[in-house]
Amino acid sequence: MAKFYLTTAIDYSNGDPHLGHALEKVGADVIARYRRLRSDQVHFLMGMDEHSQSVIQAAEEAGITPQAWVDRMAERFRLFWSRLECRHDDWIRTTEPRHVRAVAELLGRIRERNPDDLYLADYEGLYCTGCEEFKQEAQIRDGRCIEHPTLELLPTRERNHFFRLSRYRDHLRGLIEGGGLRIEPRSRRNEIVRLLEAGLQDVSISRSRFPWGIPFPDSPGHTVYVWFDALINYLSATGFPEPGYETLWPADLHVIGKGISRFHCTLWPAMLVSAGLAPPVAVWVHGYVQWEGTKMSKTAGTAVTLEDAITRHGPDALRYFLMREIGFENDGNFTWERFDERYTAELADGFGNLASRSLAMLERYRNGVVPEDAGAGPLDEIGRSAVGRYTAAMDRLDLKGGIEAAWSLVTAANQHIVQTEPWSLAKAGRARELDAILAALARCLYRLAVLAAPVMPTKAETLWHGLGFEGGGPTAADWNELPSPPLAGRTTSRPPVLFPKPTAPGGPA
Ligand SMILES: [Zn+2]
C-alpha cells in the first residue's frame, strides 16, 4: 500500500464557508476517496488559518476574544465539511500548540543551517488585508489588489525579519524542471516557471504591530507573518519535529486555488529546502467557482450561500454538480438553472431512473435474484471501457473527465433498456435473453456504485445496499471486482428513490 498524504488550503476564519471553499474541499475529498478505493494508505488533512488580521476585526465586531472567535468559526467550518461528506483524517488549526511548536522549530532550523536566509530590514509597500501580503505592481489593477478589488490597499512601512527567497530561484527551477516538485495542471506550472524567470523578491516574514500571531523567536514584539505561519501547517500536522513525522512527510499532494499558487510553489518549497526538509511531491492548482462571472467570495456568498446550495438537492447532488459543471481545473459558473437541469437530466432521469427500473425488473421477473450469466454482452464491454477511461482520468486528477466516463455508462445502459425491451422478452417467455439483460444491468449498477462512490458517497452506499451488499459502500476489495462483478445468485432489493424530482419547478427537492 502506498502512502498518500493529501492536504487542502486552510481557510481564514473571518466568515462562513462559501461555494468557492466547497469546490476545493469536495474536489480533494473526491481524490482522497478515489485513492482509498485504489488501496492507498490515505491521510487527508484539512484545517483553519487562524492568525489573519481580519480575525481581530471580526472578533471585535462580535464582542468576543480572537480565540473565542476562531473556536466558533472552526466549529462552523467543520460542520459544513461534515455535511458535505468531506472525510478528513486530521483537522489542524494554526492556534494549536503542535503547530506553534513546529513553526518555531522550522525557523530554528533555517537559522541554524542557513543563517544568511534571515535578516532584518525596513519594508515599505502596499498591503492587501484580503491576501495578507504586500502586493507587487503586477498584482495591482486600478490601485486595487486583483484578487480583492473591493478592498483598499494599505500603504505600510515596517522594520521586519526577511526570508531570502530570491536566493532560491535557480534551486526551484531545477526542482520543477527535474520533476522534484510537480505543479499541475500544465498552465499553472507555466505561470510559476515564468514567475521564476522574472526573479523572486525576498519576503517579509514578521510583523511588529500585530499581536495576534505566533511570537517570532528571540524577537520580542514581533509575530510570524501569517503566510509563513500558515504554510507550515502541512508539516506540523505530521507531528514534526517529533520522530516518525517522515512516515507522512513529504506531502504527496497540496490542493489549492490559483490565487495562492505562488506561495505554495515558491515560498513554501524554499522554506523547506532552507530548513533541510523535502519539498512537497505535487501541487494541484484549481480554478474558481464564479457567480454571474465574478469570483465567489465573502461578498458574493450572500447572493448564493453554501446552505442554499446544499439544501437545493442534497449534499451528494451538490458534490456532483461542482465536479461535473465547474470541474477542478478552470473557472466555472454556478447557476441554479444549470444545477436544476443537470440534477433532473443526469441524476433523477439518468442514474436514479436506471437504478430504480433495473432493480424493479429484477424484483418483478426474478424475485430480486440476479441470474447466472457469462458477462460477455455489449453492456459489459461498454462498462469495462468506461471503467478504463474513468481510471485514466482520475489518475491524472481530471475529476470532470472521470465523471463523464462513468455517466457515459448511465446513458448507454438506459439506451440498452429501451432497445432490448426486457418487458417484451418477459411477455414472450424468452427467459434466457431476459436473464442476460437483467444480469448485465445488475453488473452495470455495481460498476456505477463503485465509480460514483468518490463523488456521491451516500447515494452510492444506498445503491450498494440495493444490490444486496452490506457495510458503508464499495471498498478497495470491491474495486478489484470491477472486471467481473460477483453478483450471480445475489438477492437485490429496491432502494428508496435516489434522486427525488423537485416538488415545484426550480424549488427545493
Ligand atoms: Zn488581495
Side-chain angles (χ1 to χ4, degrees):
M1 278 201 291
K3 178 264 298 182
F4 192 79
Y5 176 32
L6 159 81
T7 71
T8 63
I10 52 175
D11 299 309
Y12 286 152
S13 339
N14 59 339
D16 273 345
H18 51 65
L19 277 169
H21 297 108
L23 176 80
E24 173 172 298
K25 278 34 177 188
V26 166
D29 184 68
V30 171
I31 296 169
R33 288 176 184 271
Y34 172 69
R35 295 306 336 168
R36 289 188 197 109
L37 269 182
R38 301 304 308 281
S39 301
D40 279 352
Q41 189 74 49
V42 172
H43 190 79
F44 179 23
L45 174 72
M46 292 173 59
M48 302 296 293
D49 180 0
E50 304 191 318
H51 288 131
S52 78
Q53 280 194 45
S54 48
V55 163
I56 296 196
Q57 205 184 335
E60 257 169 27
E61 279 164 19
I64 55 178
T65 64
Q67 188 64 50
W69 172 264
V70 295
D71 290 348
R72 179 193 290 180
M73 292 314 295
E75 275 322 295
R76 285 196 63 80
F77 273 70
R78 269 184 92 121
L79 182 70
F80 272 104
W81 303 147
S82 142
R83 286 177 64 200
L84 270 174
E85 305 164 276
C86 296
R87 211 176 87 206
H88 49 80
D89 299 295
D90 192 5
W91 173 258
I92 190 155
R93 298 175 51 195
T94 56
T95 50
E96 283 179 77
R98 61 172 171 162
H99 175 69
V100 174
R101 191 182 58 159
V103 170
E105 175 70 21
L106 190 87
L107 270 167
R109 290 199 185 186
I110 291 175
R111 187 174 276 166
E112 195 183 296
R113 292 177 54 97
N114 288 294
D116 290 349
D117 279 359
L118 301 175
Y119 62 92
L120 271 166
D122 286 320
Y123 193 91
E124 195 167 3
L126 292 171
Y127 194 82
C128 173
T129 53
C131 296
E132 298 283 7
E133 68 166 331
F134 286 103
K135 304 309 288 192
Q136 291 160 24
E137 220 166 286
Q139 302 168 297
I140 299 172
R141 192 184 295 146
D142 301 330
R144 304 280 176 103
C145 167
I146 290 172
E147 294 281 323
H148 299 96
T150 59
L151 296 177
E152 293 278 354
L153 287 167
L154 303 177
T156 307
R157 183 189 163 87
E158 300 183 327
R159 184 160 181 81
N160 286 332
H161 291 274
F162 277 73
F163 175 67
R164 207 177 295 278
L165 179 61
S166 56
R167 208 190 126 201
Y168 287 90
R169 179 175 85 145
D170 292 341
H171 191 99
L172 291 170
R173 273 167 118 172
L175 266 181
I176 293 167
E177 275 154 22
L181 170 61
R182 277 185 7 244
I183 301 168
E184 291 174 283
R186 190 89 195 162
S187 56
R188 304 298 176 201
R189 176 190 187 271
N190 294 344
E191 281 172 15
I192 297 297
V193 169
R194 281 197 297 275
L195 189 79
L196 291 174
E197 276 162 14
L200 294 172
Q201 292 186 11
D202 292 349
V203 178
S204 141
I205 60 163
S206 72
R207 294 290 176 267
S208 52
R209 59 191 163 80
F210 188 40
W212 175 244
I214 296 175
F216 201 94
D218 309 320
S219 204
H222 280 253
T223 51
V224 177
Y225 168 48
V226 64
W227 263 106
F228 200 86
D229 154 357
L231 288 164
I232 299 171
N233 88 86
Y234 306 125
L235 180 64
S236 36
T238 65
F240 174 84
E242 291 298 315
Y245 80 89
E246 303 97 329
T247 55
L248 282 177
W249 195 259
D252 295 277
L253 183 66
H254 290 319
V255 170
I256 55 154
K258 63 181 183 177
I260 57 176
S261 63
R262 288 181 315 110
F263 290 108
H264 285 79
C265 302
T266 64
L267 177 59
W268 176 227
M271 286 162 63
L272 290 162
V273 170
S274 176
L277 297 163
V281 175
V283 179
W284 178 270
V285 185
H286 62 78
Y288 289 151
V289 182
Q290 298 184 325
W291 174 254
E292 289 168 359
T294 56
K295 177 193 171 194
M296 193 62 69
S297 68
K298 201 179 160 195
T299 334
T302 52
V304 47
T305 67
L306 189 49
E307 181 67 41
D308 291 343
I310 294 172
T311 47
R312 184 79 157 196
H313 302 295
D316 274 23
L318 177 60
R319 288 170 64 101
Y320 174 87
F321 182 68
L322 286 173
M323 293 298 108
R324 177 66 187 80
E325 174 79 8
I326 317 287
F328 215 41
E329 181 165 345
N330 300 309
D331 296 345
N333 261 312
F334 186 98
T335 70
W336 293 123
E337 293 73 22
R338 286 297 285 158
F339 191 11
D340 295 344
E341 271 171 34
R342 284 202 186 272
Y343 179 82
T344 301
E346 293 159 24
L347 300 184
D349 292 344
F351 188 26
N353 187 36
L354 173 67
S356 86
R357 59 178 174 169
S358 302
L359 291 169
M361 288 189 289
L362 266 164
E363 186 181 75
R364 187 175 314 132
Y365 303 131
R366 295 295 179 262
N367 290 319
V369 179
V370 181
E372 294 282 346
D373 171 65
L379 201 50
D380 282 286
E381 219 167 279
I382 295 168
R384 289 187 197 106
S385 150
V387 170
R389 281 178 290 123
Y390 173 94
T391 308
M394 297 297 277
D395 283 349
R396 59 172 189 267
L397 304 183
D398 174 9
L399 310 184
K400 188 190 267 190
I403 295 174
E404 282 166 0
W407 256 255
S408 71
L409 181 54
V410 171
T411 308
N414 272 324
Q415 281 167 357
H416 191 69
I417 294 176
V418 173
Q419 283 159 6
T420 55
E421 295 188 1
W423 47 91
S424 307
L425 299 174
K427 210 180 272 178
R430 290 154 69 178
R432 278 188 54 190
E433 287 162 79
L434 181 60
D435 277 352
I437 289 168
L438 294 178
L441 286 171
R443 288 190 298 272
C444 176
L445 292 184
Y446 179 106
R447 292 189 176 106
L448 286 170
V450 174
L451 301 189
V455 183
M456 299 195 292
T458 302
K459 300 299 179 183
E461 187 182 330
T462 305
L463 176 56
W464 197 239
H465 295 160
L467 287 167
F469 294 96
E470 288 173 353
T475 65
D478 304 312
W479 172 276
N480 295 330
E481 305 281 4
L482 279 173
S484 304
L487 284 167
R490 189 170 283 277
T491 302
T492 62
S493 60
R494 292 173 69 176
V497 175
L498 285 177
F499 303 99
K501 285 280 185 76
T503 46

